[in-house]
Amino acid sequence: AASDVYKRQLSHPPGRLNLADGSPGAIALNVLRRIVSGSCPVDFHVDATSQRPVVLLTDACTTQHKLGWLGIVLWDPDDGPAGRLYHAAGGVPHWMLVILERLQMKKTYIAAYELLAEVCAYNSFPEQLRGRIVHHFVDNTAALAGSKSGYSGKPDCARLIDALVVRILRLACRPWFGFVYSEDNLSDLPSREEF
């Protein structure tokens, strides 16, 4: 995003930047504005925490008419003597599909739904994730790449990654994103209403 802003500065004379012109620089500045306005000051501690990492797994599946279902499984080893397993599931509402289609028309929105499941996980379990190290596992390589890099060239995925970044910053948690095979992903079950 910063390189697009720099290129824009070199190719245009000084003056007020039109943030609605659709240029890469304007898009980059709008993304930066959304992230900064959505976040808040946070203290990140680099010293060791007394709490063990939380394990988080997310998944999504598509259903008929391009809609989807999301699943989340979270294990907090410090919640009770043996830890505690949480899970959540829910359908993607039609209004979300309408927003995604306005951003970019596609045959399937599985990568976007996988990212939506990630955003929903950080919104569903804020108390378990706040200030914690999070081992977050995803079985979709496109969503995983976006989560790791904080970027996607697809407009729908880019918006969801922005929302994910803002939520992570607000919770001051430290996620590590990793890949898990679908058959080993516990969140696969709630994403199919089987958990």
Side-chain angles (χ1 to χ4, degrees):
S3 65
D4 289 332
V5 173
Y6 180 71
K7 288 176 194 172
R8 165 84 179 189
Q9 183 180 6
L10 292 178
S11 64
H12 288 55
R16 185 163 171 81
L17 181 64
N18 180 1
L19 294 180
D21 70 1
S23 69
I27 292 169
L29 283 174
N30 279 321
V31 167
L32 188 60
R33 182 192 312 179
R34 279 195 310 271
I35 290 173
V36 170
S37 65
S39 60
C40 58
V42 173
D43 291 329
F44 285 94
H45 300 280
V46 294
D47 56 339
T49 177
S50 61
Q51 293 180 302
R52 292 179 286 176
V54 173
V55 178
L56 178 63
L57 298 108
T58 54
D59 191 38
C61 75
T62 56
T63 61
Q64 59 187 3
H65 308 297
K66 294 186 187 177
L67 291 175
W69 197 260
L70 312 175
I72 303 163
V73 172
L74 182 141
W75 180 62
D76 185 350
D78 291 339
D79 190 348
R84 185 167 178 192
L85 189 68
Y86 297 86
H87 71 278
V92 176
H94 186 263
W95 61 264
M96 176 60 75
L97 176 61
V98 170
I99 291 172
L100 296 174
E101 286 179 333
R102 283 184 185 160
L103 291 168
Q104 182 178 16
M105 189 61 75
K106 296 180 181 180
K107 289 183 181 180
T108 179
Y109 292 92
I110 189 61
Y113 291 162
E114 294 274 354
L115 287 164
L116 181 59
E118 293 180 31
V119 173
C120 287
Y122 290 88
N123 282 322
S124 298
F125 300 106
E127 296 312 311
Q128 290 76 20
L129 298 171
R130 184 170 281 110
R132 302 284 291 274
I133 294 172
V134 181
H135 292 192
H136 189 155
F137 294 95
V138 181
D139 63 11
N140 181 284
T141 55
L144 179 61
S147 301
K148 284 181 171 182
S149 69
Y151 171 81
S152 175
K154 306 292 183 189
D156 55 343
C157 292
R159 290 289 174 94
L160 290 163
I161 291 168
D162 292 349
L164 179 65
V165 167
V166 168
R167 193 62 187 154
I168 288 169
L169 287 173
R170 283 189 173 178
L171 292 174
C173 59
R174 294 163 291 197
W176 172 88
F177 292 96
F179 179 78
V180 63
Y181 288 101
S182 292
E183 55 270 15
D184 296 327
N185 190 348
L186 291 177
S187 63
D188 190 72
L189 296 169
S191 75
R192 284 154 180 76
E193 300 181 81
E194 298 173 4
F195 196 70

